[in-house]
Amino acid sequence: MVDLQSQYLRLQEDIDRNMQQVIESAQFIKGPAVTQFAEHLQSYLNVRHVIPVGNGTDALQIALMALGLRPGDEVITPTFTFIATAEVVALLGLTPVVVDVDWDTMTMDVNAVRKAITPKTKAIVPVHLFGQCADMQNLMALAEEYGLFVVEDACQAIGAEYKFTDGTIKKAGTIGHIGCTSFFPSKNLGCYGDGGAIFTNDDALAEQMQAIANHGCKIRYHHDFVGVNSRLDSIQAAVLDAKLPHLDEFNAARRQAADVYDQAFCGNPHLLVPARNPQSSHVFHQYTLRLIDIDRDALKSRLAEAGIPVMIYYPVPLHLQKAYQDSRYKQGDFPVAERLASCVLSLPMHTELTDEQLKYIIQHVLA
Ligand SMILES: *Cc1c(COP(=O)(O)O)cnc(C)c1O
């Protein structure tokens, strides 16, 4: 699915030098490498604050902790996504409220969000699934109308750009009150272990989140509230700092591979290609087909026999996950998400796909 070795070999000199510097300096935690990477990312994203943390799930948790919510407050998130968004909501004693997604973009359906708002709703967590921004223009307008916080899950969409109808362009993760990302190795900007970051333009929220990530303390050994311990370590920051200047080029390479897939499959009534939202660039964390009247398992094993790895992201919507069973929801409640879960298939997608590899994959998918 991903080829991290070839990418490393291309960037080896910079990555090795950066890592070596950290090892020689022995400043493994909160070293200058972390500050430097955060500054570079801040200017790349054009955002006031970047707070590096341990991983993307921590980023989401810390973001929600900073909003001062109370047990029972409701947080709306799409049901067709990775588990992390609902997980942190539940862990904090808040109530996850899930909504259906749009069939074409596979991101949160804003009309469904509107219908799900109650007096207890405090925040919305849209997910920029597979590398394309959710319908942020309408979501932000809705959030403003009801006075809700928006925490973007930009774990799959770092570098994607969203264009508002007034012409304003913002990067994924810098549109809502808070944005979260992950530097998990296979993400569009991946480190060599775990890592994540939080973005905000709000000074007070930034200060609060910084303190939460550091055991709830603003002055060393003076703990003002219950926090967590979540840090990006210096070696990971060094890797990321070597890779960040290449992020746009990584995303362009993914888009190019997606264009080749699109061209091969578009017009095929059995292989629906990912829809492109005209307001968002797509950075193709995943290239996800919707299979129509095709036996997915059979196709999967046929591809596996040809040595082509494919994945199902995601086979079970949140409302049907065992850990999240809830008397409020049952099978059939979110028909789009349920249909997607039964028909999506993600093809190999990374920065190193060659024309030959793409041709081979396409040939076998069409066979
Ligand atoms: C990867 C991912 C996360 C979690 O990131 P980790 O760094 O693995 O904790 C959360 N949400 C989405 C949509 C993701 O893809």
Side-chain angles (χ1 to χ4, degrees), residues 260-276:
V260 175
Y261 281 142
D262 269 4
Q263 214 148 51
F265 305 134
C266 78
N268 187 321
H270 299 289
L271 303 167
L272 299 190
V273 301
R276 311 262 184 126

Side-chain angles (χ1 to χ4, degrees), residues 191-209:
C191 59
Y192 292 167
D194 272 309
I198 310 171
F199 322 130
T200 187
N201 285 308
D202 182 313
D203 297 346
L205 280 176
E207 189 185 339
Q208 189 73 3
M209 292 191 289

Side-chain angles (χ1 to χ4, degrees), residues 54-60 81-85 127-130 153-156 181-184 187 194-196 285 314:
N55 56 65
T57 309
D58 279 3
L60 288 162
T81 185
F82 183 58
I83 201 71
T85 47
V127 180
H128 303 323
L129 201 69
F130 303 146
D153 180 340
C155 290
Q156 301 188 355
T181 206
S182 164
F183 303 123
F184 185 83
K187 302 281 156 118
D194 272 309
H285 176 61
Y314 294 92

Side-chain angles (χ1 to χ4, degrees), residues 124-308:
I124 306 171
V125 184
V127 180
H128 303 323
L129 201 69
F130 303 146
Q132 184 167 245
C133 292
D135 181 1
M136 292 307 289
Q137 175 140 1
N138 288 317
L139 267 174
M140 293 309 293
L142 184 64
E144 196 167 330
E145 186 182 334
Y146 287 90
L148 307 175
F149 289 109
V150 174
V151 176
E152 298 172 71
D153 180 340
C155 290
Q156 301 188 355
I158 193 153
E161 286 184 335
Y162 188 84
K163 192 172 181 180
F164 289 83
T165 44
D166 69 359
T168 314
I169 294 175
K170 290 184 181 177
K171 287 232 159 71
T174 69
I175 305 164
H177 301 88
I178 304 175
C180 299
T181 206
S182 164
F183 303 123
F184 185 83
S186 64
K187 302 281 156 118
N188 291 39
L189 180 62
C191 59
Y192 292 167
D194 272 309
I198 310 171
F199 322 130
T200 187
N201 285 308
D202 182 313
D203 297 346
L205 280 176
E207 189 185 339
Q208 189 73 3
M209 292 191 289
Q210 192 88 62
I212 291 169
N214 182 28
H215 300 288
C217 102
K218 290 176 186 171
I219 300 164
R220 208 165 189 193
Y221 304 127
H222 297 263
H223 303 274
D224 301 337
F225 39 80
V226 177
V228 298
N229 172 29
S230 188
R231 301 184 281 238
L232 179 72
D233 72 68
S234 305
I235 286 184
Q236 300 309 334
V239 171
L240 290 164
D241 212 29
K243 289 175 85 173
L244 178 61
H246 301 278
L247 177 57
D248 285 344
E249 158 205 318
F250 292 161
N251 286 340
R254 287 172 177 271
R255 214 171 290 130
Q256 217 161 34
D259 287 343
V260 175
Y261 281 142
D262 269 4
Q263 214 148 51
F265 305 134
C266 78
N268 187 321
H270 299 289
L271 303 167
L272 299 190
V273 301
R276 311 262 184 126
N277 175 349
Q279 284 187 272
S280 173
S281 62
H282 202 318
V283 295
F284 286 99
H285 176 61
Q286 298 298 341
Y287 185 89
T288 304
L289 289 170
R290 289 158 293 165
L291 308 180
I292 308 297
D293 299 327
I294 286 183
D295 182 340
R296 182 169 63 178
D297 290 337
L299 175 60
K300 240 188 117 190
S301 39
R302 203 153 50 66
L303 293 172
E305 271 167 38
I308 300 168

Side-chain angles (χ1 to χ4, degrees), residues 25 27 40-41 63 66 146 172 201 204 206 224 278 338:
S25 77
Q27 290 179 295
H40 290 156
L41 186 57
Y146 287 90
N201 285 308
D224 301 337
E338 290 173 26

